[in-house]
Amino acid sequence: MRVEPPVPATALAAIREALAGAGAQPVDAPILQPLNLLLDLAGEAMRARLFVVQAEGGAEACLRPDFTAAVARQHIDSGATAGRYVYEGPAFRSEPEGQRPEEFVQLGVELFAPAGPATVEADAEIASLAWRAALAGGRKDLTLWLGDVGLFAAFIESLKLPDALSARLKRVAGRPRLLWAELGRAGEAAAPAAGGGQLAAMLSGLSEPQAAAMLEEVWALAGVEPVGGRGPGEIAARLVRRAEAARAPALTKPQAEAIEAFMAISQAPAAALLQVRALAGKGAGIDAALADWDARLAKLADIPAERLRFTPALGHAFDYYDGITLEVRSDALGADRPVASGGRYDSLLARLGGTADARAVGCVVRPWRAYAGGEA
């Protein structure tokens, strides 16, 4: 396994000090994490980048690819309604091209709180922490990129699309490949079910327990042994979503063009938000989302304007982000090697067993990338 070189103590201390401003409690997380959970959060495509382990007769696990989900699970298990946590330790991701380290150090902060007006302030606080921590490594070529999965949802609502189509677009907002596939079928009629689609169509008319039971019966008749640890309920739910996607209407060409224009926005924040306003329809949701951005940007006024960019399509490998997204990028390293990243992931807490009104936002910094003498 390729291991990232150590960062000099003085540079690492400066990055730690920047994150200490959050006043957070230090935590750790188990290196072994449940594989099924990570695949649900990032999709099967992530499997190739995970280090998978399995004890004889046991469920599959993986070395933690990052800390966010693990820290969120610990927070939920604690029963606390609010919490601030800071962490530091190794994370592991396979790099098929063989040019990058597969074990690397992450430092990060996660903030948890009940729903309320302070979410915008927490977003701005996390963006500022990520910026200051990345800057503490000594690089002079950094830019803070901002995006918003929630703004995409509000924009889609403003277009007044059919409910099924609107829901599907929101669901794939954090997965660019799936979103562009949806845009690519603009103007097409709904496809008839065929092959595996027929089974999906049959399952879609059943309750979740009924669909899982039918799938188990089909497996038994065909002599199929499922692998990978996924249960019939999970697989049935995916098949049902596929059937719904096939039956639902496609976007019209003008609707697809409006969404493509929205996704292509990449400018200084003030100009970018003006573009969003020009492209969007009318609605309370889009007005509120844009007002929240005015408030966030006012709290980020200490970051040089020329070092801020806004692109609503900014996403990450894991699709649990549902609000603000952020990356601190180095000109030398490029867009695919961010120095810091993070965002808001309220819905993840409910998926992990938390309460529906729980809120969460966080960021992670890669110190070897932040260090001026580090990754090149």
Side-chain angles (χ1 to χ4, degrees):
M1 180 181 291
R2 294 176 295 277
V3 179
E4 194 172 64
V7 174
T10 52
L12 191 58
I15 296 169
R16 287 192 191 112
E17 181 62 25
L19 294 179
Q25 169 189 348
V27 293
D28 196 4
I31 285 182
L32 283 182
Q33 292 292 313
L35 178 64
N36 282 355
L37 172 63
L38 274 298
L39 294 180
D40 284 343
L41 297 178
E44 284 289 344
M46 176 59 77
R47 181 186 284 268
R49 297 195 62 196
L50 300 176
F51 287 95
V52 178
V53 296
Q54 182 177 24
E56 186 174 354
E60 287 183 303
C62 65
L63 302 183
R64 65 184 178 213
D66 77 352
F67 281 78
T68 300
V71 172
R73 289 172 63 210
Q74 291 182 169
H75 170 72
I76 292 169
D77 291 345
S78 76
T81 57
R84 289 174 164 253
Y85 308 102
V86 62
Y87 50 83
E88 176 180 340
F92 308 83
R93 292 187 203 174
S94 174
E95 295 289 350
E97 68 273 16
Q99 299 299 315
R100 300 179 191 170
E102 297 171 315
E103 178 183 334
F104 48 87
V105 173
Q106 289 185 334
L107 282 74
V109 172
E110 310 294 336
L111 308 182
F112 301 91
T119 55
V120 170
E121 286 78 1
D123 290 347
E125 180 182 0
I126 281 292
S128 293
L129 285 168
W131 172 254
R132 293 199 299 270
L135 205 61
R139 288 190 183 269
K140 306 298 183 185
D141 63 345
L142 300 180
T143 302
L144 175 59
W145 289 72
L146 300 166
D148 190 353
V149 179
L151 182 61
F152 177 84
F155 178 78
I156 292 299
E157 288 175 3
S158 80
L159 299 181
K160 311 302 182 190
L161 304 175
D163 290 345
L165 180 56
S166 177
R168 190 165 74 252
L169 287 167
K170 292 176 190 176
R171 193 162 54 237
V172 301
R175 296 187 175 182
R177 181 181 61 82
L178 297 179
L179 178 59
W180 286 108
E182 189 64 48
L183 295 175
R185 62 184 287 261
E188 294 179 2
Q198 292 178 347
L199 175 60
M202 291 172 60
L203 295 175
S204 67
L206 305 175
S207 67
E208 287 188 16
Q210 289 172 329
M214 175 176 281
L215 190 58
E216 285 187 295
E217 186 175 344
V218 170
W219 284 345
L221 290 171
V224 172
E225 285 289 337
V227 297
R230 289 182 178 276
E234 296 172 88
I235 296 172
R238 288 174 181 269
L239 288 171
V240 168
R241 287 198 294 268
R242 185 181 301 170
E244 291 172 347
R247 289 198 306 268
L251 291 161
T252 65
K253 291 287 187 182
Q255 289 168 343
E257 288 169 359
I259 296 171
E260 288 174 1
F262 174 88
M263 299 295 286
I265 293 172
S266 179
Q267 292 195 48
L273 293 175
L274 283 176
Q275 276 192 276
V276 174
R277 287 184 169 93
L279 289 168
K282 297 188 180 299
I286 191 69
D287 291 343
L290 291 170
D292 283 348
W293 268 107
D294 290 338
R296 289 186 192 99
L297 293 174
K299 294 180 179 300
L300 296 174
D302 58 327
I303 300 176
E306 67 274 13
R307 290 298 177 183
L308 284 171
R309 298 283 292 183
F310 185 87
T311 178
L314 183 68
H316 304 314
F318 294 98
D319 76 340
Y320 47 65
Y321 291 99
D322 51 17
I324 182 177
T325 53
L326 65 95
E327 288 184 357
V328 180
R329 297 178 182 174
S330 158
D331 293 342
L333 299 181
D336 66 335
R337 290 186 288 167
V339 172
S341 61
R344 177 160 291 281
Y345 51 94
D346 298 339
S347 61
L348 173 62
L349 301 185
R351 291 166 70 179
L352 295 175
T355 60
D357 67 341
R359 300 291 180 264
V361 63
C363 67
V364 63
V365 181
R366 295 278 297 270
W368 180 243
R369 291 179 178 174
Y371 173 46
E375 190 167 330

